[in-house]
Amino acid sequence: MTFKNFCAVFLLTFFNGFAQSNGQYEFFGALKLNGNDKEIISYRIVFEENKGVVSGFSITDLGGEHETKNKIVGTYDKKKKWLTFRESTIVYTKSKITRNSFCYVNFSGSVVLAGKNPKLDDKFQGLFPDKSKCIDGTIQMIGAKKIIQTVKRVEKKIKNSKRVDEATKEKYNPIKMMDSLASNTLRAKQNLKVFTKDNTITVEIKDSGVEDGDRINLYINGKVILSDYTVKIAPKVVKITLDQAETDITIEALNEGESAPNTADVILRDSQNEIKTISKLKKGNSTIVTIIKE
């Protein structure tokens, strides 16, 4: 698959809807790594620019087994249209590799932020935490506003097509597919690792839509905190004291309610971050969030 075709498929399946405004920008696309295999990794950045100072986050490998969210910091020169940013801190990761093995993106190049076709297309340098080189490549991205317009056109064509039955239209609705795939989803036997400097963290659990009787058990380091709890629209908030280097939060599905699978919005908050996730589990399955105290 060519990079152009990959981006077309990727952008139509992973984007979650965001328009640039008031100094806020979002780009969507991929990292194309140097080397013999020319590996391509999905990539998204969201940031604010205020008086030349850039701050925001990046997400690598969206929906994949190595999905990772990093804070980004940098600068932007409006006159020269020159953007510089680097990934600075891991917020969360689903990868099994050790933290010191992560390769952080460092970018500096000419960027078109405004206009009809905002884009980001230039080389980046990859550095380990100790600043030694890992792998370099190219960032190729386009602005979110352009993607929204494209997706809406595709959705309209599908909706008006007489060759596609209504069930298929509903199943492959581009907007719903994007919302689903762009979510930070917690799945069975998966371990999401969240990093914090705080001594406490809160976990909020709620139903994201119509209450359908989904029941869960919630464990903290193996101890039952919520037993046979029915997930409701009204949020249930649990405050957790982090008195260990690592704290495991386990969510176990006891049934699949009226509409499979068992789902719950799980929102983790500390003083610096709010991480929104959704658990999607079959009956008897569980997923783990590990809070790592820095």
Side-chain angles (χ1 to χ4, degrees), residues 225-289:
I225 302 299
L226 297 177
S227 177
D228 199 12
Y229 176 73
T230 300
V231 180
K232 302 181 181 298
I233 292 177
K236 178 71 174 180
V237 179
V238 177
K239 185 176 181 179
I240 301 171
T241 300
L242 306 176
D243 51 11
Q244 300 181 31
E246 296 187 4
T247 301
D248 285 341
I249 303 169
T250 305
I251 302 164
E252 178 187 18
L254 300 179
N255 68 347
E256 295 187 43
E258 296 175 8
S259 178
N262 182 304
T263 60
D265 282 352
V266 182
I267 304 171
L268 302 116
R269 295 188 179 92
D270 64 8
S271 62
Q272 300 294 319
N273 299 296
E274 178 181 85
I275 301 171
K276 296 181 179 181
T277 70
I278 180 169
S279 63
K280 293 185 178 182
L281 303 169
K282 293 182 179 180
K283 179 181 178 180
N285 286 347
S286 61
T287 188
I288 299 174
V289 177

Side-chain angles (χ1 to χ4, degrees), residues 87-102:
E87 295 177 336
S88 60
T89 307
I90 299 176
V91 178
Y92 73 73
T93 185
K94 296 178 181 177
S95 179
K96 294 180 181 179
I97 67 176
T98 63
R99 193 173 187 183
N100 289 333
S101 299
F102 276 94

Side-chain angles (χ1 to χ4, degrees), residues 18 20-27 45-57 72-85 111-114:
F18 178 91
Q20 64 180 58
S21 62
N22 300 323
Q24 292 185 327
Y25 303 92
E26 180 166 6
F27 287 82
I45 57 171
V46 180
F47 63 89
E48 294 183 356
E49 183 274 323
N50 184 16
K51 296 180 180 180
V53 177
V54 169
S55 61
F57 66 86
I72 61 173
V73 293
T75 58
Y76 182 65
D77 187 321
K78 290 184 179 180
K79 291 183 179 180
K80 297 180 179 179
K81 296 182 179 179
W82 193 264
L83 174 68
T84 298
F85 74 83
V111 175
V112 178
L113 291 184

Side-chain angles (χ1 to χ4, degrees), residues 19-186:
Q20 64 180 58
S21 62
N22 300 323
Q24 292 185 327
Y25 303 92
E26 180 166 6
F27 287 82
F28 227 84
L31 303 175
K32 188 175 182 180
L33 306 184
N34 292 340
N36 295 329
D37 55 358
K38 301 293 183 181
E39 184 179 359
I40 295 175
I41 302 173
S42 56
Y43 197 60
R44 174 190 178 200
I45 57 171
V46 180
F47 63 89
E48 294 183 356
E49 183 274 323
N50 184 16
K51 296 180 180 180
V53 177
V54 169
S55 61
F57 66 86
S58 66
I59 300 181
T60 309
D61 191 27
L62 286 92
E65 61 178 327
H66 297 291
E67 180 179 321
T68 301
K69 180 177 181 179
N70 287 283
K71 289 185 178 181
I72 61 173
V73 293
T75 58
Y76 182 65
D77 187 321
K78 290 184 179 180
K79 291 183 179 180
K80 297 180 179 179
K81 296 182 179 179
W82 193 264
L83 174 68
T84 298
F85 74 83
R86 63 181 176 86
E87 295 177 336
S88 60
T89 307
I90 299 176
V91 178
Y92 73 73
T93 185
K94 296 178 181 177
S95 179
K96 294 180 181 179
I97 67 176
T98 63
R99 193 173 187 183
N100 289 333
S101 299
F102 276 94
C103 186
Y104 293 91
V105 171
N106 291 255
F107 175 84
S108 185
S110 179
V111 175
V112 178
L113 291 184
K116 293 183 179 180
N117 297 295
K119 63 179 181 178
L120 193 159
D121 188 347
D122 214 326
K123 296 178 181 179
F124 75 89
Q125 182 181 35
L127 298 175
F128 287 119
D130 64 1
K131 305 303 181 184
S132 61
K133 286 191 66 172
C134 37
I135 190 165
D136 300 338
T138 304
I139 296 179
Q140 294 180 307
M141 313 181 81
I142 62 175
K145 188 175 180 179
K146 186 73 173 179
I147 302 167
I148 294 173
Q149 295 170 350
T150 302
V151 171
K152 285 184 176 179
R153 287 197 298 269
V154 172
E155 183 189 28
K156 186 177 180 179
K157 287 182 179 179
I158 293 175
K159 187 176 181 180
N160 294 334
S161 175
K162 295 180 180 180
R163 297 182 178 182
V164 182
D165 61 79
E166 292 302 319
T168 303
K169 287 180 182 179
E170 182 67 18
K171 183 178 181 181
Y172 294 104
N173 181 290
I175 300 298
K176 288 187 176 181
M177 290 174 68
M178 288 186 299
D179 287 342
S180 174
L181 293 171
S183 299
N184 183 357
T185 303
L186 304 175

